[in-house]
Amino acid sequence: MTPPRTRTPAVPAQRPPTPKPTPTHPSTPDTAAARTHAPEPARPHASEAAAARTHASEAASARSRGPEAGVGRARRSGSVVTRPSGGPAGRGAAAVGERVQVGGVGVDVVSEADVVRWVAAEAAAGRGGRIVTPNVDICRAVARDPALQELVRSADIVVADGMPLVWAARLLGTPLPERVTGADLIWSLSEVAAARSWPVYLLGGPPGVAELAADELRSCRPGLKVAGVHAPPYRFDDTAEGRERVRRRVVAARPRLVFVGLGFPRQDLLIAELREELPEAWFVGCGAAIAFAAGTVQRAPHWMRRAGLEWAFRLMSEPGRLARRYLVDDLPFAVRLLAGCLLTRLRR
């Protein structure tokens, strides 16, 4: 008798495993590349505008070289610009990762204390950066030149140095915590530098003024190490050789914090070049802050600063140099800015 045939169950064909997608990480663009009321230089001339365009082009190529030189590109969303995850806020820095569009520039929503904590955290991690301090005069210059707009936008920190920018942000319904000036940051950041033994460098001002400022800062911030001071000759940056001489002096000093008071955009263009050679240093374009610290230029009383009248005090102190800039150029721009912000709010 033939035994019954047993049926072997069919084994279903197995699909080959689907390979898992390799995670990709967006590269963080680098930054490079441009304050006004400096005590010595006049307003930018044609060669400076051309230089701004050249440096902005160099900045665009520099941003592709990696994250070490600064913040990633911001995304605009209405009147608020939000930083992507690659920016300083995404790297564990202590500052807010938002920017408010005011006067044609994106301004970080930070207080002076936020800036100090941010710089301290980044510097402790070995990362440098660049701080721009726009006021009305800088906004006016930026509005006429896209290269300068990119120079400001690409900075790691942008703070409102002028009260009209604070008022404008408030009118737009996106208030800033406070006005943050280079003249204040030179003191608060020097205090951190003294506590952490970070050498500082003072670049700018008339001959002898940076030395006086260094003495005053050392006196008020015990333990502060000043790696060097230098007052470049006027229009030093008209030639490549002049810029190179200044760069060599700063780079040789190996500072961790550099205050550059040469006026916008001259100071910020030079800072953009120095950032490539000193990636661990922090740079502040601080305008007249060095002269203020030295005591050679008197600063307005505190109540005038809070009331937004520092410009009037400076105008009375230096009418010959500042009358045209403040009354003919900046005042109409500020009025248009505030009126435009008010209209924008009323239409909402």
Side-chain angles (χ1 to χ4, degrees):
M1 181 175 178
T2 305
R5 182 179 298 174
T6 59
R7 178 177 296 178
T8 304
V11 179
Q14 296 183 354
R15 296 181 179 177
T18 304
K20 296 182 179 180
T22 303
T24 59
H25 300 279
S27 60
T28 304
D30 199 355
T31 65
R35 173 165 172 178
T36 310
H37 52 265
E40 48 187 50
R43 65 190 72 258
H45 50 83
S47 63
E48 287 178 335
R53 296 184 181 90
T54 301
H55 286 285
S57 299
E58 294 172 353
S61 62
R63 279 193 298 277
S64 64
R65 289 197 287 269
E68 67 273 10
V71 63
R73 174 165 294 190
R75 280 196 325 273
R76 184 173 299 179
S77 176
S79 61
V80 176
V81 178
T82 305
R83 297 181 188 276
S85 59
R91 295 199 306 257
V96 178
E98 277 188 353
R99 283 185 176 174
V100 174
Q101 281 292 324
V102 183
V105 301
V107 180
D108 285 294
V109 185
V110 291
S111 64
E112 182 182 353
D114 292 329
V115 174
V116 172
R117 285 193 294 267
W118 183 343
V119 171
E122 292 290 279
R127 294 185 290 261
R130 182 167 63 89
I131 302 176
V132 177
T133 56
N135 54 17
V136 168
D137 201 57
I138 289 179
C139 290
R140 185 176 58 84
V142 163
R144 301 192 309 266
D145 193 328
L148 296 184
Q149 186 175 20
E150 173 64 15
L151 195 55
V152 174
R153 189 214 61 79
S154 61
D156 298 83
I157 306 177
V158 181
V159 294
D161 185 278
M163 277 303 296
L165 301 188
V166 177
W167 296 332
R170 193 177 303 158
L171 286 172
L172 290 171
T174 52
L176 299 170
E178 63 180 350
R179 178 190 182 205
V180 182
T181 72
D184 293 322
L185 288 173
I186 196 171
W187 294 99
S188 52
L189 290 176
S190 290
E191 184 174 3
V192 174
R196 305 198 181 194
S197 298
W198 292 335
V200 305
Y201 197 101
L202 304 180
L203 180 63
V209 170
E211 287 86 348
L212 293 174
D215 291 340
E216 191 67 22
L217 287 168
R218 278 190 293 246
S219 174
C220 297
R221 301 291 184 262
L224 181 66
K225 298 179 180 179
V226 179
V229 299
H230 183 43
Y234 182 53
R235 297 172 73 101
F236 73 93
D237 52 344
D238 281 355
T239 65
E241 294 78 10
R243 292 196 303 272
E244 180 61 25
R245 282 193 296 269
V246 173
R247 285 204 307 268
R248 282 200 302 265
R249 292 185 65 148
V250 178
V251 172
R254 308 304 299 178
R256 296 292 304 278
L257 182 61
V258 186
F259 296 100
V260 187
L262 298 170
F264 182 88
R266 178 177 283 120
Q267 64 193 16
D268 302 276
L269 291 170
L270 178 62
I271 287 172
E273 296 181 11
L274 289 168
R275 280 286 291 121
E276 297 297 314
E277 301 181 80
L278 294 170
E280 296 183 356
W282 272 90
F283 295 82
V284 184
C286 61
I290 295 175
F292 287 146
T296 57
V297 175
Q298 188 177 1
R299 199 174 179 197
H302 187 68
W303 71 267
M304 293 188 77
R305 295 180 232 161
R306 289 185 60 86
L309 295 173
E310 186 163 16
W311 67 272
F313 181 87
R314 296 199 65 204
L315 178 59
M316 291 185 292
S317 302
E318 302 178 80
R321 188 175 73 86
L322 298 176
R324 177 174 178 81
R325 180 196 300 178
Y326 285 177
L327 299 178
V328 178
D329 297 331
D330 291 352
L331 185 58
F333 183 90
V335 171
R336 290 194 301 269
L337 169 64
L338 294 174
C341 292
L342 179 59
L343 288 174
T344 299
R345 183 166 187 174
L346 292 175
R347 288 170 182 161
R348 289 176 180 171

